[in-house]
Structures are given as C-alpha cells and as structure tokens.
Amino acid sequence: MEGRPVDCNIEAADDITCKLGQIIPPFMNLVTEINVADDVCFILFVEKSPTFLELTLENFHNKYHCIIITGTGHADVVSRQLTKILMDDFKLPAFCLVDCDPWGIEISAIIRHGSVNMAYDSKNLASPLMYWLGIWPSDLENLNIPSETFTKKDLKKLEDLMEKEFFDDDKTLKKELNYMIRSTPKEGRA
C-alpha cells in the first residue's frame, strides 16, 4: 500500500491469538500492487464480522486456500471494489456467504449487480459472476428448516427488493424472493 508491503494473511495460533487481517483502505488507489499466493483458489465474501472471525480462528482461509473478505454487515464500496479486482485480475471464483433473509439477499445482489446509488460505477464494483453460498429460501422447506417470522421491516425490505430492476435479469434471485414472500410466516400483517 503506497509502496509499503502489507501482509493480509491471518494465522490463528493454538493460544487463540491471531492477526485480524488488514482493513481495506478507504480508497483503493492507495493500493499500488496486489500479489496473491499461487495456491489461492477462491474468494469468500462473508456478510457478518462474527462469521469472518470464526472462519479465521479456524484457519479456514489457510486450510482451503482462499481470501476471506467481509463487508461487516453490508456490501461497502471498498469491499466490492477489492472483490472485483481480485476476480478480474487473478481470475478467482468468488462466493458470497450471506444470511437467508431479505438483508442477505440484498447484499448478494448489490455485490453481483451493483447498487442504485453507485450505478454510474457498476463496471468497477459489480461482480456478476459471484455465487451465493449458503441456505437459500427454497432450501428451508426442502431441508425442513424452520423459518423465522418476518417483521414489518423485513416485509418492507422484501417489497423494496421486488421493485429493483436487476432482479428482472437475475431469475434465480427473483425466484428465491418470490419463494420467500409466499412461504415465510408474516408478523402483524394488516
């Protein structure tokens, strides 16, 4: 970064001490060069910081030769930009591990298609080849997993997502949203 080498690898030791990786700089133009180890096989973008910490404490990234990135609960610009650079420049497949709820679906969609607010820069931020990893809404019934009741806020998020144009082009996510609307117990519907 700005000519100074930064080691982003995290090594969890037996005594539970570890480096927590590196914070992505607020402006990717501060990164002058990126080197990726030859044995890195994929990128894992995780929604939640606790999931990120659990994976790193288990040395998941070293066992499975991957780069783990977290947006700490949302798909922020620099996380999306770094993911896009790694996918494009190093031809790495990427997976997005998000919750099976409207908020997780939104994060996955923003990473894949870009956000409305940053639509002018989608070519530098969107990663359309990102795969959603984890339980899908349709899996809840197929695997007999009980689902939680949606709040009014969750229902509003679902309605907002259904109006997003990029879901018209993403038939899989649109199908999962429709499934979620049809099958999830609703709270206090008037």
Side-chain angles (χ1 to χ4, degrees):
M1 190 161 51
E2 295 182 310
R4 177 179 53 92
V6 178
D7 182 5
C8 296
N9 193 33
I10 300 166
E11 285 290 337
D14 290 335
D15 63 357
I16 311 290
T17 60
C18 70
K19 293 189 321 181
L20 296 178
Q22 294 293 326
I23 295 173
I24 301 170
F27 304 102
M28 285 302 295
N29 63 346
L30 297 176
V31 177
T32 52
E33 183 179 349
I34 297 176
N35 295 307
V36 173
D38 292 337
D39 64 345
V40 171
C41 299
F42 63 96
I43 302 161
L44 181 62
F45 190 104
V46 296
E47 176 183 358
K48 304 275 174 98
S49 295
T51 305
F52 173 84
L53 291 174
E54 184 65 30
L55 290 170
T56 57
L57 286 173
E58 293 296 324
N59 278 318
F60 180 90
H61 56 291
N62 289 318
K63 290 176 189 170
Y64 296 98
H65 308 286
C66 67
I67 296 170
I68 305 174
I69 298 173
T70 183
T72 62
H74 56 90
D76 64 330
V77 172
V78 293
S79 297
R80 290 188 289 141
Q81 192 174 25
L82 178 59
T83 301
K84 173 82 171 161
I85 289 168
L86 292 170
M87 288 179 73
D88 290 352
D89 293 357
F90 297 95
K91 306 301 182 224
L92 292 169
F95 302 90
C96 187
L97 180 60
V98 296
D99 290 341
C100 182
D101 63 16
W103 313 95
I105 290 175
E106 179 180 50
I107 289 168
S108 175
I110 288 171
I111 294 169
R112 290 185 69 190
H113 304 288
S115 68
V116 174
N117 293 343
M118 299 287 292
Y120 62 88
D121 203 20
S122 286
K123 71 178 182 136
N124 294 314
L125 298 173
S127 300
L129 299 178
M130 171 83 69
Y131 297 98
W132 177 4
L133 182 65
I135 295 176
W136 291 41
S138 59
D139 291 334
L140 296 175
E141 183 178 355
N142 296 338
L143 300 173
N144 201 24
I145 299 170
S147 58
E148 294 182 11
T149 302
F150 276 5
T151 64
K152 289 180 181 178
K153 191 174 179 182
D154 294 331
L155 290 171
K156 175 70 172 123
K157 176 56 71 178
L158 265 175
E159 290 170 10
D160 291 347
L161 288 175
M162 289 300 286
E163 294 176 11
K164 303 278 186 199
E165 288 180 21
F166 53 66
F167 284 114
D168 294 336
D169 295 331
D170 194 329
K171 303 299 182 207
T172 302
L173 279 180
K174 183 89 167 191
K175 179 181 158 196
E176 292 299 318
L177 282 173
N178 281 317
Y179 182 86
M180 188 177 280
I181 289 169
R182 286 191 319 270
S183 63
T184 305
K186 315 295 190 274
E187 169 193 282
R189 207 170 211 187

